[in-house]
Amino acid sequence: MWLPWIEFAAVLTAVTLLTIPMGKWLARCFTSEHHTLLERMSYRIIGVNPAQRMGWQAYGGALLMSNALMLLLGYLVLRLQEWLPLNPLGIAAQTPDLAFNTAASFITNTNWQAYAGEASLTNATQMAAITFLMFAGATTGVAAGAGFVRGLARSSSQDIGNYWVDYVRVFWRVLLPLSFVMALVYVWQGIPQTLDTQTVATTLESAKQQLMLGPVASLESIKHLGTNGGGFFSMNAAHPFENPTPLTNMQHILSMLLIPAGLTYAFGSMLLRRKQGWVLFGACMVMFIGFLSLVFVAEQNGSQLLARAGADQQYSLSQSGGNMEGKELRFGIADTALFVATTTAATTGSVNAMHDSLTPLGSITPLAMMMLNCVFGGDGVGLINLIQYVILTVFLAGMMIGRTPEVLGKKIEVREIKLVMLSVLAHPAVMLGLTALAVLWPDATASLNNRGPHGFSEILYAYASATANNGSAFAGLNANTPFFNTTLGLAMLGGRYLTLLPLLAVAGSLAAKATVPAGPGTFPTATPLFMGLLVFVVLVVGGLTFLPSLALGPVIEHLQMLIGQLYA
């Protein structure tokens, strides 16, 4: 009974220990004044001046322009796939709506897949479009995080750094070398890395079986380090070629949390406020442990309907071992629960089990993680989203006790609060607005495999996943239709840029302000008390915003399960 909790404690201890070296590495990357040879060559190729300083407008503009061009490039590769090399199976090009959805998905670090990777993409497309955009989306997020933190650290400055320098450094110094090392470990553990598209195996019954292959290990490394998600195969990390051993499963989990957790330490280092960084890390960890406990206990208890049937019908239908439906026997409930919490906390979207088979209470964890979108969060953007709640918490605390709202020595005024609230409201507006549209759309319900509240949860989960740039799915929804491909693609773009750009504006506004020395009226933000208050504000704001939608889905499904109501 205690073994799963010991495993959880060991994993979270490992995450905490890895946070320090990863944070130091990221801080050096963001603050170094030296440019390597590869970096200088990159600047010449793209034609930028590394000494140029950018205000938040120029920084955000460069981010948007580069992402738009890479989205277009990915779209063209997907549309021309049929005529590209490394396509011996003659796989056709994606349709316009699916290509838009896929390109938008991978450039926004979402990696939602409305297709089966092994049947819909060639090895050329997996490398030239999918893996390329995985690097691009993750690098963009970390670079934006660097610019945002730099804006908070500066005083009376009109710039937050140079986007191109941040982007190139993150790519060459962090993501590429880490991904290379991780890929080698994956190959050692049995994950394929080849340009062959298939192999034919002979089974024990002497039958022939076609096995799809490709450059899987390289995709898996950036998939998890970059909090990307998606998968080379439709079964994702439940497929033995993507996740063959307990070691690779644990490596997936640690990789997903490595950079988001490290960024909290880098934040404290860059601002010379180490305690502040640990407060942010602690707030994320408290929420993570709470949601992990919820999904694990819910799955371990299993379905009350089956337990009741076993008692009434005198035979063993009760789930004495917990809810194993949709789970890999190789991992069991504990490793599945840990993976569910990690992949949605870090907005990765990789899955080693089918989330559609979670119990109603268990499904609240992935939904809530994506709705809050700041429990560690994705590479770079998770930290940015958490800081917006820090600013909101300081403002609310100042209003309650009559102190001037200040954060990190900067006064919080009307402009910053307006921008923060714009970002806070954009997330649910996109998610819930498009969910409501899908529920009312005439043909949308035809894509559902379930009726009642679980069917609503499938739609809600899809738009929560897209807006939070997570990419996981309940899997009971056929989302490969023109309506869902288009609206989910728009949700990905809105969830990425409508929240990111206002917060870059906040960083620019705070960078221009002079740092105010702490005084008797300053509310301290590097204390356990503030950490608790921050968690409280995140949960209250999230609850007030999203609890009604959760009540229509998993909450009412659980209550109906208790009274024995089923849906055919």
Side-chain angles (χ1 to χ4, degrees), residues 22 70 101 240 282 296 317 419 463 475:
M22 190 69 235
M70 287 186 284
N101 180 279
F296 173 67
L317 278 177
L419 289 168
Y463 287 102

Side-chain angles (χ1 to χ4, degrees), residues 388-389 392 417-433 467 494-495 498-499 502-503 541 544-546:
Q388 79 177 351
Y389 281 105
L392 187 58
I417 290 300
K418 286 182 177 179
L419 289 168
V420 165
M421 290 311 301
L422 179 60
S423 176
V424 169
L425 293 174
H427 181 66
V430 173
M431 181 191 307
L432 300 180
T467 307
L498 293 182
T499 57
L503 293 175
V541 172
L544 292 173
T545 306
F546 297 109

Side-chain angles (χ1 to χ4, degrees), residues 320-339:
S320 58
N323 174 33
M324 282 299 296
E325 180 182 326
K327 296 179 177 62
E328 275 287 311
L329 291 175
R330 296 178 297 143
F331 305 127
I333 290 175
D335 283 348
T336 297
L338 183 58
F339 210 101

